[in-house]
C-alpha cells in the first residue's frame, strides 16, 4: 500500500478526467454520416389563450422562420413560452422517428396536428432536455408543433431536428450520455473500493486515502447527475439529482485544493 502515494492517485484521477473529453469522438464515429434533418422551422413567441387550436390557426405573419443549424432567436423579456412548428416530409417510411438533441425548456408538449403525443415536465430548476418520439407513414405531410415553457432564462432547440429510422435515433439517444454514466459509475466504484480498503490501512495513510476516495465519489456524482439522461428517465428524482450535484461540486473543489496542499505542503517550495 505504501507504494501508491497520493500523488500517483491524483495523476490517475486527472488522466481519467482528460480521457472523458476524447470519448465523444469515439462514439461520434458510430453515427451515420448522412443524417436527414428538417431544413426549416417556424417559431411563435407567447402562448395564445386557445392553445393548439389558436396556434394552428395563427396567421403566417406571426411566425418567424429559422433555418436549420442557425442560432435560435433570443427570448424576449417577460416571455415564458414559445411554439415551434415544422412540416413532416410528404412520404415517410415505416419505423421512423424524430430526435431533437438539445431542448432548453422545463415543460415540453409535442403535437402532431391537433393531437398531443408527448409531454414532459420538470418541476425542478433544470432545463436541458432531449426528445425522441416515433412517427409513422400515416403522419406524412403533417405539421408538428412543439410547445416550450420555462421559468428560467433559456428557451431554445439546438442544433437540428433529425428524422431517421427509429432504431438509429434510439442508438444516438442512448450513446449521447453513455460515456458520462460509465465514467461516473467507475468513479463511484473506485471510491467504494478505496473506502473498504481503508479498513486495512495504518493511521498515517488513512487521511490521504480518504481524501482521494472523497474526490472520486464527488466526481462520480457530478458526471452522473450532470447528464440529461437521468433527468429524462428518472424525472421523479430530478430534485434529488440537482441537490446531489450541488453538494458534490461544493465538496470536490475544496477537497481538490486540500489534496494539492497536502502534496506540496512539505516540499521545498511550499
Amino acid at each position: 500500500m505504501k507504494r501508491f502515494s497520493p500523488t500517483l492517485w491524483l495523476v490517475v484521477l486527472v488522466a481519467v478526467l482528460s480521457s472523458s473529453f476524447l470519448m465523444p469522438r469515439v462514439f461520434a464515429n458510430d453515427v451515420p454520416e448522412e443524417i436527414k434533418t428538417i431544413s426549416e422551422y417556424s417559431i411563435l413567441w407567447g402562448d395564445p389563450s386557445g392553445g393548439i387550436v389558436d396556434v394552428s390557426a395563427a396567421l403566417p405573419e406571426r411566425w418567424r422562420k429559422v433555418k436549420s443549424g442557425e442560432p435560435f432567436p433570443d427570448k424576449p423579456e417577460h416571455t415564458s413560452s414559445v411554439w415551434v412548428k415544422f412540416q413532416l416530409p410528404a412520404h415517410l417510411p415505416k419505423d421512423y422517428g424524430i430526435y431533437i438533441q438539445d431542448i432548453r425548456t422545463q415543460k415540453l408538449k409535442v403535437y402532431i396536428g391537433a393531437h398531443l403525443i408527448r409531454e414532459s415536465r420538470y418541476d425542478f430548476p433544470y432545463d436541458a432536455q432531449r426528445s425522441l418520439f416515433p412517427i409513422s407513414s400515416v403522419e406524412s405531410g403533417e405539421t408538428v408543433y412543439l410547445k416550450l415553457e420555462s421559468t428560467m432564462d433559456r428557451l431554445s432547440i439546438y442544433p437540428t431536428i433529425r428524422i431517421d429510422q427509429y432504431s438509429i435515433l434510439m442508438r444516438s439517444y442512448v450513446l449521447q450520455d453513455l460515456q458520462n454514466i460509465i465514467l461516473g459509475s467507475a468513479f463511484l466504484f473506485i471510491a467504494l473500493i478505496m473506502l473498504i480498503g481503508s479498513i486495512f490501512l495504518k493511521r498515517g495513510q488513512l487521511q490521504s486515502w480518504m481524501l482521494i476516495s472523497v474526490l472520486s465519489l464527488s466526481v462520480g456524482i457530478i458526471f452522473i447527475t450532470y447528464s440529461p439522461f437521468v433527468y429524462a428517465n428518472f424525472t421523479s428524482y430530478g430534485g434529488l439529482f440537482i441537490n446531489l450535484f450541488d453538494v458534490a461540486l461544493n465538496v470536490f473543489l475544496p477537497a481538490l485544493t486540500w489534496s494539492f496542499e497536502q502534496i506540496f505542503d512539505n516540499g521545498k517550495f511550499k
Side-chain angles (χ1 to χ4, degrees):
M1 292 290 183
K2 293 181 178 179
R3 291 180 297 175
F4 297 96
S5 64
T7 306
L8 179 59
W9 281 111
L10 189 61
V11 171
V12 173
L13 180 65
V14 173
V16 176
L17 283 173
S18 301
S19 67
S20 66
F21 296 100
L22 301 177
M23 290 187 68
R25 297 183 181 180
V26 177
F27 289 106
N29 293 333
D30 294 334
V31 180
E33 294 181 0
E34 296 181 0
I35 299 176
K36 305 175 181 66
T37 60
I38 296 295
S39 60
E40 182 181 85
Y41 57 87
S42 303
I43 63 173
L44 173 65
W45 293 107
D47 186 18
S49 57
I52 184 62
V53 177
D54 284 356
V55 169
S56 58
L59 297 176
E61 292 79 11
R62 298 182 58 187
W63 294 91
R64 176 178 176 179
K65 293 185 177 181
V66 180
K67 295 289 185 181
S68 177
E70 291 183 354
F72 200 86
D74 295 333
K75 182 175 75 70
E77 293 186 7
H78 311 297
T79 301
S80 60
S81 61
V82 61
W83 286 84
V84 179
K85 75 171 181 178
F86 56 89
Q87 195 85 16
L88 292 177
H91 301 285
L92 283 173
K94 292 182 179 180
D95 301 324
Y96 257 50
I98 297 176
Y99 177 43
I100 308 174
Q101 178 178 336
D102 190 358
I103 308 175
R104 299 296 176 170
T105 182
Q106 289 180 283
K107 302 176 185 178
L108 173 67
K109 291 183 178 181
V110 181
Y111 296 86
I112 295 184
H115 303 288
L116 178 65
I117 64 167
R118 176 151 302 188
E119 182 176 4
S120 61
R121 179 188 184 99
Y122 289 173
D123 294 321
F124 43 87
Y126 188 82
D127 63 354
Q129 295 195 40
R130 55 178 53 104
S131 184
L132 170 64
F133 51 93
I135 52 177
S136 65
S137 56
V138 179
E139 294 157 342
S140 300
E142 290 281 353
T143 302
V144 178
Y145 295 91
L146 309 175
K147 181 185 179 183
L148 284 60
E149 188 175 359
S150 176
T151 58
M152 304 177 71
D153 294 332
R154 300 182 295 185
L155 278 174
S156 64
I157 59 175
Y158 179 85
T160 56
I161 303 172
R162 295 173 51 184
I163 298 180
D164 211 328
Q165 290 188 3
Y166 189 78
S167 58
I168 296 176
L169 297 178
M170 175 60 76
R171 188 162 177 259
S172 300
Y173 177 82
V174 173
L175 292 180
Q176 183 72 28
D177 294 314
L178 185 60
Q179 64 269 30
N180 291 337
I181 304 299
I182 293 175
L183 280 173
S185 301
F187 276 112
L188 293 180
F189 180 74
I190 292 172
L192 177 62
I193 295 300
M194 293 185 69
L195 288 174
I196 295 175
S198 64
I199 301 174
F200 308 99
L201 294 177
K202 296 179 180 179
R203 185 181 298 272
Q205 299 173 315
L206 188 60
Q207 179 178 350
S208 59
W209 197 264
M210 293 295 293
L211 182 59
I212 299 299
S213 65
V214 169
L215 282 172
S216 298
L217 179 64
S218 58
V219 169
I221 294 175
I222 289 172
F223 267 110
I224 293 175
T225 56
Y226 183 75
S227 170
F229 184 84
V230 296
Y231 298 93
N233 293 278
F234 306 99
T235 307
S236 58
Y237 299 100
L240 176 62
F241 294 146
I242 289 289
N243 293 329
L244 285 175
F245 178 84
D246 291 339
V247 171
L249 191 61
N250 283 281
V251 169
F252 172 74
L253 295 178
L256 184 62
T257 304
W258 188 21
S259 177
F260 275 102
E261 288 181 355
Q262 293 296 313
I263 294 170
F264 298 106
D265 184 51
N266 297 320
K268 182 178 178 181
F269 303 103
K270 68 176 183 178

